[in-house]
Amino acid sequence: MIKNTGWRGRIDAQSISYHVGIQYTAILKKQYNIKPWITPGLIRCIRQRDKLHQKAKKNPNNPITQITYKRYRNFCNNILKNLKNNYDKNELNKAGNNSKQLWKHIKNVTYMAKKRESNSSLLLINPSPLSSANHVNNYFVNVGKTLAEQIPTQNIVQQPSLDLRNKCTLYSFGLLDTDEDEVTRIICGLKEDSAVGWDNISNKILKLCQHILVPPLTHIFRICLSEGIFPRSLKKAVVIPVFKSGNKNLVNNYRPISILSSISKILEKILNSRLVNYLEKNQLLSPAQFGFRAKLSTADAVHSLTDYVSEELGKGQQTLGVFLDLAKAFDTVSVPLLINKLESIGIRGTPLKLFADYLVDRHQCVKIDDTTSDEQICSGYGVPQGSILAPTLFLIYINDLCKLNIKQGKIVSYADDTALIFTAKTSSELYEYAQIGFDTVTNWLQSNLLTLNADKTKYIYFCMRKPHSNTANPNLYAHNCGFGSTSMCDCPCIFKTRDIKYLGVIIDETLSFRQHIENIVKRVRKLIYVFKKLRAIADSKLVTQIYLALGQSVIQYCITSWGGAHKTNLLPLERAQRAILKVANFLPFLYPTDQLYKSCNVLTVRQLFIMHLILKQHTMLSYNAENINKRRNDIVCDSNISSKFVFVKRFFTFLGPFLYNKLNRILSIYKLNKYKCKQTIFQYFLSVSYVETEDLLTVCK
């Protein structure tokens, strides 16, 4: 084995030794290759170039020396560039259909590989690394308990219980037995590059030895399901602090990610599949909850929020949104309360015993670099972040929040990212309803030992036009004093903001989405450098695929919410999109716009908006059995939304039915499945011009 030490492998030429059976051989600087595509002949060429450079610097007034250097420099650099491009092309060809290797090389070429933020700063908290790691572990173990003790429970107002016992008398959760086929299928689906737990058993080992390990593992899992016991050895976690933002020396700026045993993940997948199926089959989760659920995403949550706000504003209602921020939400889940909630939804007997055993008596240690802390028992709060069951258990814990009966209010939630929308006829009534509803929510949070971060919780007063800056607005208060008079209590105040980032989308008070589009433009234009690197080594087909993955994915995120923005707001984004396509395909700056999209086989921003809008409407119609026999050739979707405001006509609540009916007359897309519907619309938009696309929207104004 050859080992290089020092920069460029500089080793003393006579340092040859043997140590533990490993041979250390010196490599001279002249023989060391800096890059894999550089040959010894090129190294000599580089040295000659550098010598000419030094000579040109010493003789700046000698034209022959300057010309000689520049010609040789250009000759050498062109050779290096061509060889590097050929090497990168070969690496892409070697990857073939292996997408993981392909993207790994693409990230290396374009310098997109993310560097993980080091957590080694936490080792400097105390004098010794071990004591620092123990301090971090102690913080993570007790963070939920510490926050819960700060909640003034004596001021909690008792409200009517949201217990689901009466509803769930017809339902009862039963744990179906597992078999070897299920265990084998789960093992085959595990990722090979996942981190190993405390037992150092990797997923790759489980896959290689599955023919030996599946029978005993299946036997163990059957005993766990029948006896209601979760093995203690599978409840041990190695916690890795992952930096979020802020000061790296503060522990509360890190998220504790639990690395569990691979065998534990298999048993958790078995339990989670049965639990999720039970919740969805019996519709026990609130429809206002979009987090960690099949066929639902952050885009659906944002769409639901913006569509409701635009619809209410179109009716002439005053609208206000409160965006909650919960402190350490997953870490502050009370295990006793969670067990009670599991029982209230029909999980009883042996299944409840199994989930309770999973949650209690858990051990964890913190690992920072090579330092591992001592083990500690968890304090009875929190679900292990990074586990399979944690998201589903958290949804059960926070489910009652999404089902609160709030007067003149609507709740939209994605896990712990929750928004409260209030509407009223007048501004005074609006703030009154908002304060009452917000009090109801804060009371529920306190009774469930969840901490509201008042500093990061904001509210937006929505309106169709930008309000005057001197308009006075009342404040909302996060009451923890029994909801007394706002003039007499010292409860934290919730301040108004003009815009807020919710689930990756910047929502402003007029729903113009100008700030959000500007943010997308910045992200898209940063990709120009990436495609300048890629266009020389990838063919046009691969470049298009990379554009769809890196560029269009950013553009079309939540596009059904903001894609109806004014044309003047969208122009910078469309220009950024065209700049990427021209750079990626070696096209001139003045290349015709219509021809650009056809040659690249992609859609404009507005066309993407219309296509996703229609696909969403198409999906909604597919599940509406009442419309099957109510069919007319000219009207497929019945729209009850009528507004004199142009503002409303930019959102799905109006545009969805309108555009679907319009394109259905042209393309007859109603009877098609979603895939064929998408392909039909895509091909249609490739044949229409930019102006014709805008006319689809301007007609309805």
Side-chain angles (χ1 to χ4, degrees):
M1 179 178 178
I2 299 176
K3 181 178 179 181
N4 302 329
T5 60
W7 185 71
R8 290 189 178 180
R10 279 182 254 174
I11 304 177
D12 186 0
Q14 297 181 355
S15 59
I16 301 176
S17 60
Y18 292 87
H19 181 65
V20 197
I22 300 177
Q23 182 180 2
Y24 291 81
T25 306
I27 297 180
L28 298 177
K29 181 180 177 181
K30 295 181 179 181
Q31 299 174 347
Y32 181 72
N33 271 352
I34 303 173
K35 301 292 182 181
W37 60 83
I38 295 180
T39 62
L42 277 177
I43 293 177
R44 292 191 294 269
C45 182
I46 293 171
R47 292 200 189 98
Q48 180 64 22
R49 180 197 64 185
D50 295 340
K51 289 180 181 178
L52 292 175
H53 183 213
Q54 294 297 329
K55 188 175 180 181
K57 287 173 65 177
K58 293 179 181 179
N59 302 282
N61 299 323
N62 190 335
I64 297 178
T65 304
Q66 298 295 327
I67 293 174
T68 303
Y69 161 67
K70 290 178 181 180
R71 288 179 178 176
Y72 195 86
R73 178 199 62 188
N74 296 340
F75 168 77
C76 180
N77 291 347
N78 286 335
I79 293 178
L80 289 172
K81 184 178 180 180
N82 292 334
L83 285 175
K84 182 180 183 302
N85 290 339
N86 291 333
Y87 172 80
D88 291 332
K89 285 181 182 179
N90 292 332
E91 290 295 317
L92 292 179
N93 294 332
K94 287 180 183 178
N97 295 328
N98 190 338
S99 59
K100 184 177 180 180
Q101 292 296 327
L102 178 66
W103 279 102
K104 181 180 179 180
H105 188 67
I106 290 174
K107 289 179 179 179
N108 290 334
V109 171
T110 57
Y111 306 103
M112 289 193 305
K114 292 184 178 179
K115 295 181 179 179
R116 293 185 179 180
E117 294 286 350
S118 175
N119 55 13
S120 57
S121 300
L122 295 176
L123 296 177
L124 305 177
I125 296 177
N126 287 339
S128 66
L130 180 59
S131 62
S132 299
N134 288 332
H135 173 79
V136 174
N137 191 29
N138 183 68
Y139 172 81
F140 287 146
V141 165
N142 296 297
V143 61
K145 181 179 179 181
T146 303
L147 291 175
E149 290 175 348
Q150 296 175 358
I151 297 176
T153 55
Q154 69 275 8
N155 295 324
I156 296 177
V157 177
Q158 297 298 327
Q159 297 179 348
S161 176
L162 293 174
D163 193 10
L164 300 176
R165 294 178 193 273
N166 295 332
K167 180 179 179 180
C168 294
T169 52
L170 300 177
Y171 305 132
S172 182
F173 177 70
L175 276 176
L176 299 178
D177 202 3
T178 186
D179 54 24
E180 294 186 4
D181 291 338
E182 183 181 16
V183 176
T184 302
R185 185 170 62 254
I186 293 175
I187 291 177
C188 292
L190 295 175
K191 297 181 180 179
E192 293 187 1
D193 57 349
S194 297
V196 297
W198 65 271
D199 53 6
N200 288 326
I201 300 177
S202 65
N203 295 340
K204 189 174 182 179
I205 291 296
L206 292 177
K207 288 185 176 183
L208 292 175
C209 305
Q210 58 179 293
H211 60 287
I212 301 174
L213 297 175
V214 166
L217 287 177
T218 305
H219 177 69
I220 293 172
F221 296 155
R222 284 176 174 174
I223 295 176
C224 295
L225 298 177
S226 61
E227 300 295 332
I229 298 174
F230 201 94
R232 185 178 180 183
S233 59
L234 302 184
K235 294 192 289 184
K236 179 181 175 182
V238 179
V239 175
I240 307 296
V242 176
F243 179 70
K244 295 186 294 184
S245 61
N247 189 350
K248 289 187 177 182
N249 297 322
L250 298 179
V251 190
N252 56 355
N253 290 332
Y254 289 80
R255 179 180 288 109
I257 301 300
S258 299
I259 307 299
L260 302 174
S261 169
S262 298
I263 300 176
S264 173
K265 295 178 183 178
I266 301 174
L267 182 54
E268 285 189 42
K269 281 181 177 288
I270 295 173
L271 294 174
N272 190 64
S273 63
R274 287 152 174 73
L275 180 58
V276 170
N277 182 61
Y278 171 75
L279 295 173
E280 297 294 346
K281 181 180 179 180
N282 298 306
Q283 299 180 355
L284 297 177
L285 294 179
S286 169
Q289 177 59 259
F290 295 86
F292 310 118
R293 301 180 65 181
K295 299 180 181 181
L296 294 177
S297 64
T298 55
D300 295 310
V302 175
H303 174 85
S304 176
L305 187 149
T306 55
D307 205 47
Y308 178 77
V309 171
S310 63
E311 184 177 349
E312 292 299 318
L313 289 175
K315 296 176 182 178
Q317 296 278 11
Q318 305 290 322
T319 310
L320 182 147
V322 181
F323 296 85
L324 307 181
D325 185 273
L326 302 183
K328 308 288 184 183
F330 277 71
D331 299 325
T332 54
V333 170
S334 173
V335 172
L337 289 177
L338 176 56
I339 294 174
N340 291 336
K341 291 175 184 290
L342 289 171
E343 187 178 5
S344 70
I345 62 174
I347 301 176
R348 309 177 185 92
T350 302
L352 181 63
K353 180 183 176 183
L354 178 57
F355 284 112
D357 192 36
Y358 170 80
L359 292 168
V360 301
D361 194 27
R362 299 192 67 89
H363 293 69
Q364 73 175 45
C365 62
V366 166
K367 185 175 181 181
I368 305 173
D369 290 344
D370 296 329
T371 304
T372 304
S373 70
D374 301 328
E375 283 189 24
Q376 288 194 40
I377 301 177
C378 297
S379 60
Y381 288 87
V383 288
Q385 297 189 54
S387 65
I388 309 297
L389 274 172
T392 307
L393 294 175
F394 183 80
L395 292 186
I396 295 173
Y397 190 82
I398 206 171
N399 191 45
D400 291 344
L401 172 63
C402 302
K403 293 188 175 184
L404 287 177
N405 186 15
I406 299 177
K407 186 177 181 181
Q408 295 294 108
K410 175 184 174 67
I411 297 178
V412 178
S413 181
Y414 188 91
D416 61 319
D417 292 318
T418 304
L420 314 175
I421 310 299
F422 301 94
T423 59
K425 293 183 179 180
T426 64
S427 178
S428 58
E429 289 181 351
L430 177 63
Y431 278 95
E432 181 182 353
Y433 291 146
Q435 185 63 66
I436 295 173
F438 188 46
D439 290 344
T440 303
V441 171
T442 54
N443 181 71
W444 185 92
L445 293 174
Q446 292 176 9
S447 62
N448 287 270
L449 304 181
L450 294 174
T451 303
L452 180 72
N453 192 339
D455 295 333
K456 295 183 179 180
T457 299
K458 306 291 183 182
Y459 81 89
I460 294 180
Y461 186 92
F462 292 104
C463 51
M464 288 185 286
R465 296 180 180 178
K466 190 174 182 179
H468 298 291
S469 58
N470 57 356
T471 303
N473 295 284
N475 292 324
L476 299 180
Y477 293 88
H479 286 296
N480 52 22
C481 61
F483 311 144
S485 173
T486 57
S487 60
M488 300 296 294
C489 67
D490 296 327
C491 299
C493 178
I494 305 302
F495 294 102
K496 177 186 174 183
T497 182
R498 292 186 179 274
D499 57 79
I500 193 168
K501 194 171 187 178
Y502 181 69
L503 299 177
V505 177
I506 301 176
I507 300 175
D508 57 276
E509 57 188 352
T510 60
L511 293 184
S512 66
F513 297 101
R514 180 175 298 176
Q515 295 92 329
H516 180 68
I517 294 173
E518 290 176 355
N519 185 47
I520 298 177
V521 170
K522 294 177 183 177
R523 295 179 61 185
V524 170
R525 287 201 171 274
K526 287 181 179 179
L527 296 175
I528 293 178
Y529 169 80
V530 173
F531 285 95
K532 281 185 177 180
K533 292 285 185 181
L534 289 174
R535 64 182 182 178
I537 64 172
D539 55 24
S540 58
K541 182 179 179 180
L542 181 57
V543 168
T544 302
Q545 292 176 354
I546 297 172
Y547 163 75
L548 296 177
L550 298 180
Q552 186 165 298
S553 62
V554 173
I555 294 173
Q556 67 187 14
Y557 175 69
C558 295
I559 196 171
T560 57
S561 299
W562 59 264
H566 289 296
K567 183 178 179 180
T568 54
N569 292 338
L570 283 181
L571 277 177
L573 180 57
E574 292 174 340
R575 288 169 183 156
Q577 181 193 32
R578 293 196 290 267
I580 284 185
L581 295 175
K582 291 175 183 178
V583 168
N585 294 277
F586 292 99
L587 297 175
F589 178 76
L590 297 178
Y591 194 80
T593 298
D594 290 339
Q595 187 64 30
L596 172 66
Y597 289 106
K598 292 179 182 178
S599 60
C600 297
N601 202 34
V602 297
L603 302 183
T604 67
V605 177
R606 191 71 88 180
Q607 289 172 346
L608 287 172
F609 164 66
I610 297 175
M611 184 178 72
H612 282 81
L613 211 67
I614 293 176
L615 289 176
K616 192 170 189 66
Q617 186 69 48
H618 188 77
T619 304
M620 294 173 62
L621 288 174
S622 300
Y623 293 99
N624 192 353
E626 296 179 358
N627 287 338
I628 293 178
N629 298 321
K630 297 179 181 180
R631 190 62 49 233
R632 287 178 55 184
N633 293 330
D634 56 339
I635 298 178
V636 177
C637 305
D638 295 330
S639 176
N640 298 324
I641 303 299
S642 59
S643 176
K644 62 182 179 180
F645 300 111
V646 177
F647 170 85
V648 182
K649 298 179 181 180
R650 296 191 286 110
F651 294 92
F652 175 81
T653 183
F654 178 86
L655 279 180
F658 177 84
L659 289 175
Y660 193 90
N661 290 331
K662 190 171 185 178
L663 283 182
N664 186 62
R665 298 189 195 106
I666 303 172
L667 305 175
S668 300
I669 57 177
Y670 179 74
K671 296 181 180 180
L672 303 177
N673 59 36
K674 188 175 181 180
Y675 174 77
K676 290 184 178 179
C677 178
K678 182 178 180 180
Q679 292 299 317
T680 303
I681 297 171
F682 181 83
Q683 294 299 327
Y684 169 75
F685 277 134
L686 287 180
S687 64
V688 300
S689 66
Y690 182 84
V691 177
E692 291 172 334
T693 302
E694 288 294 325
D695 287 342
L696 292 173
L697 302 175
T698 54
V699 173
C700 66
K701 292 183 180 180

